[in-house]
Amino acid sequence: MSKLVIVGTVAFDAIETPFGKTDKILGGAATYIGFSAANFDNIDAAAVSVVGGDFPQEYLNLLTERKIDIEGVEVVKEGKTFFWSGKYHNDMNSRDTLATELNVLEHFTPVVPESYQDAEIVMLGNLHPLTQQSVLDQMSKKPKLAILDTMNFWMDIAMDDLKAVLKNVDVITINDEEARQLSGEYSLVNAAKKIHEMGPKYVVIKKGEHGALLFNDENMFYAPALPLAEVFDPTGAGDTFAGGFAGYIAKTGNVSFDNMKKAVIYGSALASFCVEKFGTERMLTLTDKEIYERLQQFKDLTQFEIELK
């Protein structure tokens, strides 16, 4: 059974979209990644994060019910859980951050449980690059695949630290805007080449409703996003994609480019469910049958026969 370590936030979100708004609900990168990865059997996943004393036990139970080990989730009883609030514009592609309260995350020092320090796959969710590097430093052996997610914020305030950790990871997953900022290149093909030179062998560039690109040296693969009638809440879609990607790699144990193409499709399929309801709600009711049918939709969307003359 392949081990997967998931590092990131377990948090509260408050979300407003054109479809409605929520009070504090379950969120955080590690939560979305974990719920997504939990759809794959034959993996042993653990979450590494921190929450405050205000975090409900029932939310932690949602992780353990999905066979995600939470020994590495620190509970600071006298502290408050990380909180983010945002409002999406009508196009659902842009949003305003209304509140960010770091709380216990401000002084978070991740501790990877000893039984997971030999994990084959490490998924570094969106955190400070020094925090991400500290996790890699705790591994007793080099992971088969280390995957890193990041964002513009860290490029703005910790670019040198980010470039340092990039030398030690195999895959980076970022969106198109972030890829351009990190590389200084507008063309995503040239951006991927520049990012390759920073360390990662594989570059995944997420383009939201326009799908995702996978680069490895001269190899390139494009996966479309499934056209949806309504996007209810995009929060967590990128993390859900990353969880599907990492979960599929952990399940198969295959880190070839061809297998990563399949991992991108799985990630895209799972992300397409995430946006159908607020927060993690849709991921909690997802069935194997629904995933199979969604994957079939992706197959039908992209496969065709044509007679070439």
Side-chain angles (χ1 to χ4, degrees):
M1 188 174 284
S2 186
K3 291 180 183 177
L4 167 65
V5 168
I6 299 163
V7 187
T9 52
V10 174
F12 290 130
D13 289 340
I15 303 159
E16 183 174 348
T17 79
F19 295 96
K21 62 190 296 186
T22 73
D23 292 324
K24 281 186 178 180
I25 58 173
L26 175 61
T31 307
Y32 283 103
I33 294 167
F35 285 172
S36 185
N39 289 289
F40 300 94
D41 54 16
N42 204 37
I43 67 172
D44 180 7
V48 177
S49 190
V50 62
V51 295
D54 57 342
F55 197 75
Q57 182 62 42
E58 65 190 87
Y59 283 174
L60 291 173
N61 293 345
L62 290 173
L63 291 164
T64 56
E65 286 165 10
R66 282 153 186 79
K67 297 183 171 59
I68 299 165
D69 191 301
I70 60 169
E71 183 187 345
V73 179
E74 179 186 1
V75 180
V76 181
K77 287 193 165 32
E78 66 279 10
K80 292 177 68 178
T81 302
F82 174 71
F83 171 67
W84 175 83
S85 175
K87 180 178 181 179
Y88 287 88
H89 299 174
N90 285 335
D91 65 0
M92 299 293 272
N93 289 321
S94 54
R95 69 187 184 193
D96 297 321
T97 293
L98 304 179
T100 302
E101 298 173 11
L102 291 177
N103 298 328
V104 293
L105 191 66
E106 187 172 2
H107 303 292
F108 173 47
T109 303
V111 178
V112 180
E114 190 174 344
S115 57
Y116 287 92
Q117 290 175 6
D118 60 349
E120 291 86 354
I121 312 295
V122 176
M123 178 67 232
L124 300 169
N126 179 20
L127 291 169
H128 194 292
L130 291 177
T131 304
Q132 294 173 320
Q133 182 60 56
S134 76
V135 172
L136 294 177
D137 292 342
Q138 292 176 57
M139 305 309 290
S140 60
K141 65 176 184 179
K142 181 174 169 50
K144 195 170 187 177
L145 201 74
I147 308 161
L148 177 144
D149 190 21
T150 192
M151 66 184 296
N152 302 85
F153 179 70
W154 305 121
M155 297 173 201
D156 291 337
I157 71 162
M159 181 65 97
D160 289 344
D161 294 329
L162 177 58
K163 286 184 175 178
V165 73
L166 283 178
K167 294 176 183 175
N168 301 317
V169 301
D170 305 292
V171 184
I172 181 173
T173 67
I174 48 177
N175 67 30
D176 45 0
E177 179 190 349
E178 293 157 352
R180 291 182 172 115
Q181 180 174 345
L182 180 58
S183 65
E185 296 281 351
Y186 185 79
S187 158
L188 294 180
V189 174
N190 290 334
K193 288 178 181 176
K194 280 278 183 71
I195 297 168
H196 276 313
E197 293 169 5
M198 297 177 189
K201 299 192 246 348
Y202 301 91
V203 178
V204 179
I205 300 178
K206 300 170 287 187
K207 291 166 56 64
E209 64 181 317
H210 303 296
L213 289 157
L214 169 67
F215 297 91
N216 167 238
D217 295 327
E218 298 305 313
N219 298 313
M220 182 167 54
F221 174 69
Y222 169 70
L226 192 71
L228 297 171
E230 290 181 338
V231 174
F232 203 82
D233 172 21
T235 311
D239 293 317
T240 302
F241 172 92
F245 181 90
Y248 183 78
I249 297 294
K251 177 189 175 179
T252 59
N254 182 342
V255 296
S256 68
F257 182 77
D258 280 345
N259 200 55
M260 285 196 191
K261 293 194 290 188
K262 297 173 186 172
V264 167
I265 295 293
Y266 265 93
S268 298
L270 288 162
S272 73
F273 286 110
C274 179
V275 302
E276 292 180 344
K277 291 191 176 181
F278 271 122
T280 60
E281 186 181 350
R282 185 65 178 92
M283 302 308 292
L284 295 174
T285 63
L286 198 52
T287 65
D288 290 343
K289 182 174 183 289
E290 288 174 320
I291 296 171
Y292 175 83
E293 290 172 351
R294 185 65 48 99
L295 287 167
Q296 187 63 51
Q297 284 182 275
F298 267 88
K299 191 173 180 181
D300 294 341
L301 182 70
T302 56
Q303 285 196 338
F304 60 89
E305 292 183 14
I306 187 169
E307 188 174 333
L308 300 175
K309 294 182 179 179

